[in-house]
């Protein structure tokens, strides 16, 4: 039987895997890029890409994708296989440093905030080396930022990375004013809680408003309000418990620090809370958490609603009026 420690991060090309698979000098060069933002030489990128490809194939992957977060509220992927033709009509499995570092998905149908016209809508993905690559559904996913040709942000990650760098730069400036010159980098962290509702699939299918909008648009007020707060922190029902167990297993495989789970105050409302980690990694993990929640719920005959308050007239206690 697999233990938590054995499966945790098993689908992540993390520091342990890189240290074991990369030549010593390549590993050091990559760490300088990750920790200090140094430029990554293409020869180093080629070695990293080959090691990443071999590891992914051993895990059953056949494709790779630059995994990014356009302004749609969800993540985006364009899958390319590792295959490359040979002169004898066969194939070999290849993955270059150029393919690792940069991609060019068509951006014509993504929201752009009016930054450019459709016929100029080229978009570029750039590898975020500070967030580990991972395997999801048999595909090697490489976290990336998504920008226009002129460098304008077309996603929600590029502004986050830029704000992290600004905080780092200004915090170091303040520390030096107080005489602390030993610190070379300031790391910001976050741990986003994820609240969600689980609704039986058969009941969900009877409500067109839930299907089309993810929330109720009509209906009567519930017969009870805060009287149902015995649900809060109450005993987790077996069906929900089975969902939570599988969800944890899938999240742990991706190195997501899923820590706390409990019933929230509203009927059918629950919460998952991770351990704090580096800001951009936490943002990536939160996107994965929401996606995997919905996939696992379907396997258990339920639908996971991620809308903040999907049910009209439902009294959901917030921290502001708890005390």
């Amino acid at each position: 039987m697999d233990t938590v420690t054995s499966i945790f991060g098993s689908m992540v090309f993390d520091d342990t895997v890189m240290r074991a698979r990369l030549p010593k000098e390549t590993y050091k060069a990559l760490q300088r890029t990750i920790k200090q933002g140094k430029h990554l030489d293409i020869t180093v990128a080629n070695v990293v890409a080959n090691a990443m490809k071999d590891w992914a194939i051993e895990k059953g992957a056949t494709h790779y994708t630059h995994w990014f977060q356009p302004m749609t509220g969800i993540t985006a992927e364009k899958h390319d296989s590792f295959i490359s033709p040979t002169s004898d009509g066969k194939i070999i499995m290849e993955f270059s440093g150029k393919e690792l570092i940069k991609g060019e998905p068509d951006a014509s149908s993504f929201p752009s905030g009016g930054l450019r016209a459709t016929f100029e809508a080229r978009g570029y993905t750039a590898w975020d080396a500070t967030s580990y690559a991972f395997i999801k559904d048999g595909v090697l996913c490489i976290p990336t930022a998504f920008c226009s040709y002129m460098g304008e942000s077309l996603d929600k990650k590029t502004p986050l990375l830029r704000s992290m760098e600004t905080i780092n730069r200004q915090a170091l400036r303040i520390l030096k004013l107080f005489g602390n010159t030993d610190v070379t980098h300031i790391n910001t962290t976050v741990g986003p809680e994820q609240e969600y509702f689980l609704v039986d699939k058969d009941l969900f299918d009877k409500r067109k408003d839930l299907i089309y909008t993810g929330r109720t648009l009509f209906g009567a007020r519930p017969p009870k309000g805060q009287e149902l707060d015995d649900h809060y922190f109450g005993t987790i029902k077996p069906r929900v418990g089975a969902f939570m167990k599988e969800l944890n297993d899938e999240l742990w495989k991706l190195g997501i620090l899923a820590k706390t789970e409990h019933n929230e105050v509203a009927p059918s409302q629950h919460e998952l809370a991770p351990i704090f980690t580096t800001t951009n990694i936490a943002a990536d993990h939160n996107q994965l958490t929401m996606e995997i929640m919905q996939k696992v719920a379907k396997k258990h005959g339920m639908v996971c609603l991620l809308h903040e308050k999907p049910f009209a007239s439902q009294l959901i206690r917030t921290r502001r009026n708890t005390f």
Side-chain angles (χ1 to χ4, degrees):
M1 181 178 178
D2 292 333
T3 62
V4 175
T5 52
S6 66
I7 68 171
F8 188 84
S10 59
M11 290 298 181
V12 182
F13 192 76
D14 58 14
D15 187 71
T16 301
V17 177
M18 289 190 287
R19 189 186 296 271
R21 289 179 172 264
L22 296 177
K24 188 174 182 179
E25 291 305 313
T26 302
Y27 173 78
K28 288 182 178 179
L30 181 58
Q31 288 302 305
R32 285 194 292 270
T33 297
I34 294 173
K35 295 180 179 179
Q36 302 174 25
K38 300 292 186 181
H39 175 74
L40 187 66
D41 187 82
I42 188 62
T43 56
V44 174
N46 283 330
V47 176
V48 175
N50 189 64
M52 195 179 288
K53 178 259 300 179
D54 290 343
W55 170 80
I57 290 174
E58 290 174 14
K59 295 286 187 179
T62 57
H63 290 66
Y64 70 91
T65 181
H66 276 198
W67 183 78
F68 58 104
Q69 301 172 25
M71 293 185 286
T72 57
I74 57 176
T75 58
E77 306 170 10
K78 184 192 75 169
H79 298 178
D80 288 294
S81 69
F82 291 119
I83 67 170
S84 183
T86 60
S87 58
D88 59 356
K90 302 295 184 181
I91 61 167
I92 57 174
M93 305 295 268
E94 289 186 329
F95 184 46
S96 67
K98 181 180 178 181
E99 292 169 321
L100 169 64
I101 291 174
K102 187 178 75 172
E104 189 180 342
D106 177 31
S108 60
S109 294
F110 284 122
S112 69
L115 291 175
R116 71 273 190 271
T118 301
F119 69 91
E120 298 172 329
R122 298 173 72 183
Y124 298 87
T125 48
W127 178 33
D128 175 14
T130 62
S131 185
Y132 296 133
F134 56 91
I135 294 174
K136 178 173 67 73
D137 299 329
V139 177
L140 173 65
C141 297
I142 301 159
T144 57
F146 186 47
C147 300
S148 73
Y149 180 80
M150 300 301 293
E152 295 127 333
S153 302
L154 301 179
D155 65 347
K156 296 187 176 182
K157 189 168 194 181
T158 303
L160 177 63
L161 292 173
R162 289 173 177 170
S163 66
M164 290 172 65
E165 176 53 32
T166 299
I167 291 174
N168 170 60
R169 185 171 61 253
Q170 297 301 328
L172 290 176
R173 182 179 66 85
I174 296 299
L175 287 174
K176 288 179 182 179
L177 288 176
F178 286 98
N180 191 332
T181 59
D182 296 330
V183 180
T184 59
H185 184 78
I186 298 297
N187 192 43
T188 60
T189 63
V190 69
E193 298 177 345
Q194 183 60 59
E195 294 183 356
Y196 59 97
F197 285 78
L198 292 175
V199 180
D200 184 271
K201 181 68 164 57
D202 292 337
L203 298 176
F204 174 86
D205 289 340
K206 295 177 181 179
R207 293 298 299 259
K208 296 298 182 183
D209 50 353
L210 289 180
I211 294 172
Y212 293 134
T213 69
R215 58 165 296 171
T216 56
L217 298 179
F218 61 91
R221 288 180 60 88
K224 288 189 176 183
Q226 207 64 31
E227 297 92 331
L228 286 173
D229 60 4
D230 55 344
H231 179 75
Y232 193 46
F233 285 173
T235 302
I236 297 173
K237 300 297 189 291
R239 189 179 180 189
V240 175
F243 160 83
M244 289 180 170
K245 182 182 184 306
E246 184 172 352
L247 175 64
N248 284 331
D249 288 344
E250 295 303 315
L251 295 180
W252 288 335
K253 288 177 185 177
L254 294 173
I256 298 174
L257 296 163
K259 177 72 172 179
T260 303
E261 58 190 25
H262 62 84
N263 292 342
E264 260 296 341
V265 66
S268 299
Q269 187 186 27
H270 311 279
E271 180 179 308
L272 181 148
I275 301 173
F276 276 58
T277 189
T278 305
T279 303
N280 64 311
I281 297 175
D284 287 351
H285 285 179
N286 190 236
Q287 290 287 345
L288 285 170
T289 297
M290 292 188 289
E291 177 185 337
I292 294 171
M293 276 179 172
Q294 293 176 316
K295 286 183 178 179
V296 173
K298 289 180 180 179
K299 294 172 66 175
H300 290 262
M302 297 181 288
V303 174
C304 179
L305 301 180
L306 297 172
H307 192 286
E308 181 184 6
K309 294 183 179 180
F311 299 110
S313 301
Q314 190 165 48
L315 300 177
I316 301 177
R317 181 170 51 191
T318 64
R319 287 178 175 81
R320 286 178 297 178
N321 59 21
T322 297
F323 302 103

